[in-house]
Amino acid sequence: MNFSDSIFFQRDILIATSHKKEAAIAPVLRERFQSKIIVPGGFNTDRFGTFTGEIERIHSPLDAARKKCAVASKTYNAGLVIASEGSFGPHPTLFFVPADDEILLLTDYENDLEIAVREISTQTNFSGKEVKTAEEVKDFAQAIGFPDHKIILRKAERDNAHIVKDIANWEELLMTAEMFMNRYDSFFIETDMRAMNNPTRMSVITQAAKKLAGLMASKCPGCQVPGFDVGEVVPGLPCSLCSAPTKSTLKKVYVCKKCNYSKEVYYPNKKRHEEPMFCDWCNP
Ligand SMILES: [Zn+2]
Ligand SMILES: [Zn+2]
């Protein structure tokens, strides 16, 4: 992939983040585009909503990222801005599997261009449970990779009346847990999902940044504008036994948001047929 003839090459990029996510994003952009990364000191993204629930998130993740880009661009007079937005919960297609859903949005105000990527990863230690004893606290902490990953304790799930964040070592954890045990019959322990306190999440953001860099370097064959991306995934890969269409991907349709040029790519998973076990006719 060629990065040096990109419209993004060697430009200043402002990363609108307050949780040190630039540590996951900046190296990727510096390496590929020789970007000059700017991270504003006092940019408070918490006012757009927090994971820990003190400020409720009211926008969709993409809209929230858009808002962050717009505010940062205005505040710091920046022409090229990246914002990110993460959410955690059950995987959208794999049931009962927790997932980290990261969105990165690049907005180029000079070229009136927006490039968004989404990285959904099942590599996450997103977790929380009600506990009563020091033993349960220790078990939870070990399971989520404490102290590399930090922990939050609170009175009850989604209860912000009494919450302790940034717990980073065993002594602190056990002392805080004891304080909660003395005051309440039970309390809630959870993984701190804020990027700077969660290396697993940081690595998912790095994956998203690599995806973003790839799209930034891509060009529409029609108008050469970057961000030539899949607009539609069409199912219907034929069954190898009966040829009936299955739910597996037959083709991807790339669409340019600028000029509407589109390109179909058949068999994107390098498979021309699907196994009969995934066929509704052969394996109902
Ligand atoms: Zn185009
Ligand atoms: Zn079949």
Side-chain angles (χ1 to χ4, degrees), residues 220-225 228 256-261:
C220 164
C223 70
Q224 305 303 309
V225 164
F228 194 56
C256 173
K257 289 190 200 82
K258 282 277 164 182
C259 74
N260 277 325
Y261 179 97

Side-chain angles (χ1 to χ4, degrees), residues 71-201:
V71 171
S73 167
K74 267 217 178 91
T75 312
Y76 303 102
N77 191 26
L80 192 55
V81 183
I82 289 177
S84 93
E85 202 54 39
S87 32
F88 311 92
H91 191 280
T93 53
L94 308 166
F95 295 107
F96 307 116
V97 179
D100 174 358
D101 190 345
E102 299 287 345
I103 281 176
L104 281 185
L105 174 71
L106 172 109
T107 311
D108 184 347
Y109 293 94
E110 280 155 35
N111 295 297
D112 186 26
L113 190 66
E114 201 178 65
I115 300 177
V117 291
R118 188 175 178 193
E119 178 77 13
I120 302 175
S121 175
T122 54
Q123 267 192 10
T124 179
N125 53 3
F126 170 64
S127 183
K129 70 186 282 203
E130 195 188 295
V131 290
K132 286 181 174 163
T133 65
E135 214 48 50
E136 286 176 295
V137 168
K138 279 185 211 161
D139 287 349
F140 180 92
Q142 251 144 14
I144 65 108
F146 182 80
D148 289 343
H149 298 78
K150 294 188 185 166
I151 275 179
I152 293 173
L153 295 185
R154 54 170 108 209
K155 191 178 156 206
E157 190 173 9
R158 281 188 280 274
D159 187 323
N160 295 311
H162 187 190
I163 176 168
V164 179
K165 298 192 270 190
D166 295 302
I167 299 172
N169 64 62
W170 283 103
E171 196 191 345
E172 208 182 328
L173 176 65
L174 296 174
M175 265 171 55
T176 315
E178 204 176 292
M179 178 178 78
F180 274 85
M181 278 184 275
N182 289 336
R183 284 178 71 168
Y184 312 111
D185 289 338
S186 71
F187 56 100
F188 200 79
I189 185 168
E190 67 193 44
T191 320
D192 191 341
M193 295 312 293
R194 289 173 298 160
M196 75 287 198
N197 289 343
N198 195 306
T200 301
R201 183 169 176 221

